[in-house]
Amino acid sequence: MATSRAEPDAIVRRLAALFRSHPAWTRAAALLSEQACSNVRFRHRPGEVWHLARVAGATRLEPGALRDADLELGFPPGAIERLEATGGGIGDFAVALFELAVERDPALRVDLRILAPFSRLVRRGYLHLLVAGGPAVFAWGAANGVGTLGELRRWIARVRKRSGVSSGARKDSP
């Protein structure tokens, strides 16, 4: 499915560094299980799939898709720049990523697909991650119609059916 020996360019290296060393992400990733993983696409490199996985306590970006990925993220270069500029803690980083997932401008929008069922997301630590995001994540969720665990479960089911957050939710949409 993916180029097995894809070489990283500057954009790929920047995202790898972000997930390897951004203080909010390193704290957040420690809450995820070693099995947590995401497939990653770069808009400027169509046809390639990479993956983020936890290896020996660190997050690594490697070429190739994983069959049991929990999420799939599609990054344009502008989104990576926005995430690099995000300060604060886990909640600030999570909200920045969520905002990019509903961004109207395609030059900034992160395509976010949820591949795993709710139960696997819970087992792999994503619920702990949302809780660790604290008030910022809860406020963003409530403002976007997800204020309870039941609503989160239903939202994830809807997003999985329609192939992603970006395909159905945009800022300023009715």
Side-chain angles (χ1 to χ4, degrees), residues 44-62:
H44 72 291
R45 296 176 71 139
E48 288 183 10
V49 182
W50 294 66
H51 66 271
L52 282 168
R54 304 272 301 137
V55 179
T59 303
R60 296 182 55 155
L61 180 65
E62 300 286 338

Side-chain angles (χ1 to χ4, degrees), residues 14 20 31 39 52 55-56 66 68 77 79-80 83 95-96 98 108 114-115 117 123-124 130 132 138 140 154 167-168:
R14 285 173 54 201
R20 186 178 56 248
L31 300 172
N39 286 334
L52 282 168
V55 179
L66 296 177
D68 70 337
I80 295 166
L83 288 171
V95 168
F98 295 152
L108 295 173
I114 299 172
L115 305 174
R123 280 193 314 273
R124 291 189 174 180
L130 292 175
F138 290 116
W140 192 90
R154 287 187 294 277
S167 64

